Amino acid sequence: MAGTNERIMADPSSERLFTGATIITFVRIVITLSIALWAAHQHSLTWMWIGLVSHWIGDSLDGEWARWFDCETRIGAVIDMMCDRLACGVLYGGLVWLQPRGWLFDHGHMTLIGIPIGIYLLEFMVVDMYLSNAFLAWPIRSPNYFWVVDRRIYLWNWSRIGKGANSGAFAVILLFTGWWWLGTIIAIGLLAVKCVSMAWLFRLGIPVPDRPLPAHLPAEIRDGIATA
C-alpha cells in the first residue's frame, strides 16, 4: 500500500488507461446506458430510475476500487467524470421524456420537472465539469485530493458530503416528493455553490505547467511562441 504522499501526488509512471477502476467505469457506463435504452424502449419510468441507481452504485464502486487497490490515475479520474456526465445526461433526459402526466402543465408540452433537471444539468455538465477538471493544473491524482490546493473548494465540492449533495440528494428528493419547485430550489442552490467555487478557483489562479514545448514543433513556430 502506497504512503499518503504517494497516494496524493500524481505519478507519470503509473498513468495508464486500463486499471481495475477504469474497467469498472467502462462496464458500469455500458450497463447504465443499456438500462436507459431499455427504459426508453419500454416507456418505463421505473427502469429509468433503476438506471440512475445503477449509475450511483457503479460510480461509488469504481472510486472505492481505485482507493482500495491503489490504482488511482489522472486518466481514470477524467474518464470517470466524462462517464458521469454522459450517464446523467441520458438518464435525466429520459426522466423528462417519460415523466408522469401529473407533472405536466395544463396547456402545452413543457414539463415542470424539466425545469429543475435543466438547471441541474447546466450545473453538473458544464460548471462542475470545469471545476472538476481544474485538478489537472496541479500534480495531484484526482479532485479527491484538492484539499492540498484549496480546502474550502474541496469541502464544498469533493468531500463525501459535497459529492452526495451534488449527485444523489437532488434526484432522491425529486423521486420521493415529485415537487418540481423544491427540485428547482435545490438545483439553483447547487448552481450557486458551483459559481462561488468557480470564483474562488479564478481567484486562486490556475497555474501554467513549466514544461518544454514538444520537440516535433517546427522551428519557426517554437521561435514565435518563445518571443510572444
Side-chain angles (χ1 to χ4, degrees), residues 34-223:
S34 298
I35 293 174
L37 290 173
W38 177 254
H41 180 264
Q42 296 295 314
H43 294 270
S44 171
L45 191 66
T46 299
W47 272 105
M48 200 64 74
W49 280 110
I50 291 173
L52 196 56
V53 172
S54 75
H55 159 64
W56 292 335
I57 294 173
D59 189 30
S60 297
L61 182 59
D62 58 11
E64 292 300 327
W65 182 283
R67 286 182 284 276
W68 289 340
F69 295 96
D70 191 27
C71 58
E72 288 179 282
T73 63
R74 287 155 69 89
I75 292 174
V78 173
I79 290 174
D80 179 68
M81 287 186 281
M82 292 169 59
C83 289
D84 286 347
R85 273 75 186 170
L86 174 59
C88 285
V90 171
L91 292 167
Y92 282 112
L95 289 176
V96 173
W97 181 49
L98 296 172
Q99 51 71 49
R101 290 180 180 273
W103 287 345
L104 283 170
F105 283 126
D106 291 334
H107 302 287
H109 300 289
M110 183 178 179
T111 59
L112 287 172
I113 197 175
I115 297 174
I117 286 180
I119 297 171
Y120 175 78
L121 290 180
L122 169 64
E123 173 266 315
F124 187 61
M125 299 183 73
V126 180
V127 184
D128 186 67
M129 184 64 172
Y130 185 94
L131 275 171
S132 297
N133 274 305
F135 85 95
L136 293 169
W138 288 271
I140 55 177
R141 294 196 181 203
S142 78
N144 293 325
Y145 304 110
F146 204 82
W147 56 267
V148 304
V149 178
D150 189 290
R151 187 169 185 81
R152 182 174 50 179
I153 297 176
Y154 163 79
L155 289 174
W156 280 44
N157 295 276
W158 303 296
S159 64
R160 290 193 179 273
I161 294 177
K163 285 184 176 180
N166 194 41
S167 56
F170 170 78
V172 168
I173 289 172
L174 275 185
L175 172 63
F176 285 104
T177 69
W179 296 342
W180 69 272
W181 57 269
L182 181 57
T184 300
I185 292 173
I186 294 173
I188 291 174
L190 289 172
L191 180 59
V193 167
K194 299 302 176 181
C195 288
V196 171
S197 298
M198 187 80 81
W200 289 338
L201 178 65
F202 290 159
R203 191 176 304 163
L204 179 66
I206 298 179
V208 178
D210 184 17
R211 296 175 62 91
L213 294 172
H216 63 77
L217 283 178
E220 60 271 18
I221 296 179
R222 294 174 63 88
D223 293 341

